[in-house]
Amino acid sequence: MQYRPYDKVLLFSGILTSIGLPGSLLSRLEERFGKIVYISEKLDFDFTDYYNEEMQTPIERYFVAFESLAMPDDLAMAKVFTNDLEAEYAVEGNRRINLDPGTLSVSNVILATTKNRAHRIAIGHELYAEVTLIYHRKGFESFKWTYADYRSRTVQDILLEMRRIYLDAVRKENKPN
């Protein structure tokens, strides 16, 4: 049987932070994943109070995307790295930064997580992944499990911009020399 190679994806990370967006954090992400080609504007994170006690408030949301396209199965190791990086910024065991790596393809947005639920699949290293959004008819469609901020027009517009970056990168990679 012949296997088909994976299509490369855009690796990105959602960032929740109560300490701003430290340059040292961005540097560490670039050291591991390559040049950052996109940083979203700061968004107020008021979709849930789930993180308030641990992270303190106010909490800001950012998204970053990386220039080098990745293989979809790189997501598990990206989550392992970002979990370790979160610990470096923790204060007395409480996170001040929450990093949620994901992949963006032509057809979907997939997020990695440590929590198992009925709609998630194991991806190794005791981690799981879920299809959070699908791309259909020039926009994203959500599911009942999609996080509230990912359902918002603001975040979906950011993801559409990252999708344009991804499609440009794919065209460049596939362009004959």
Side-chain angles (χ1 to χ4, degrees):
M1 171 183 274
Q2 187 170 1
Y3 295 97
R4 297 173 65 189
Y6 290 135
D7 292 329
K8 290 185 177 180
V9 294
L10 181 77
L11 182 66
F12 74 93
S13 185
I15 302 171
L16 295 177
T17 174
S18 59
I19 58 170
L21 195 57
S24 59
L25 173 70
L26 298 176
S27 293
R28 292 291 308 281
L29 290 170
E30 284 192 323
E31 286 171 14
R32 176 66 173 87
F33 302 120
K35 181 180 176 186
I36 294 173
V37 293
Y38 178 83
I39 301 176
S40 73
E41 63 186 46
K42 175 183 77 168
L43 307 172
D44 294 327
F45 185 76
D46 54 10
F47 293 93
T48 178
D49 60 3
Y50 179 83
Y51 299 98
N52 290 3
E53 186 176 335
E54 177 187 13
M55 294 185 70
Q56 305 301 303
T57 58
I59 298 173
E60 301 167 352
R61 161 70 89 187
Y62 297 89
F63 289 89
V64 297
F66 303 96
E67 181 176 50
S68 298
L69 297 182
M71 298 307 287
D73 56 355
D74 291 339
L75 184 57
M77 288 310 297
K79 183 65 173 167
V80 168
F81 175 80
T82 58
N83 282 355
D84 291 344
L85 194 51
E86 287 176 359
E88 292 178 26
Y89 287 89
V91 175
E92 297 177 2
N94 292 314
R95 294 179 296 175
R96 296 297 182 251
I97 293 176
N98 177 350
L99 300 165
D100 289 315
T103 61
L104 186 147
S105 72
V106 170
S107 58
N108 61 36
V109 172
I110 296 175
L111 295 178
T113 180
T114 59
K115 299 172 206 76
N116 189 12
R117 300 289 184 268
H119 61 280
R120 295 176 176 161
I121 59 167
I123 59 172
H125 303 280
E126 299 178 347
L127 298 168
Y128 302 88
E130 71 174 30
V131 176
T132 299
L133 297 166
I134 59 169
Y135 185 81
H136 183 71
R137 296 187 181 167
K138 300 183 181 181
F140 288 106
E141 293 181 9
S142 61
F143 302 96
K144 65 181 181 179
W145 58 77
T146 301
Y147 297 116
D149 56 336
Y150 279 80
R151 280 191 235 124
S152 75
R153 173 60 34 216
T154 302
V155 169
Q156 288 188 15
D157 285 346
I158 288 168
L159 293 168
L160 286 170
E161 179 60 28
M162 290 195 305
R163 188 174 185 274
R164 284 188 282 278
I165 291 167
Y166 167 69
L167 292 173
D168 286 344
V170 168
R171 279 191 280 278
K172 285 180 188 172
E173 248 190 36
N174 294 331
K175 188 176 185 179
N177 292 332

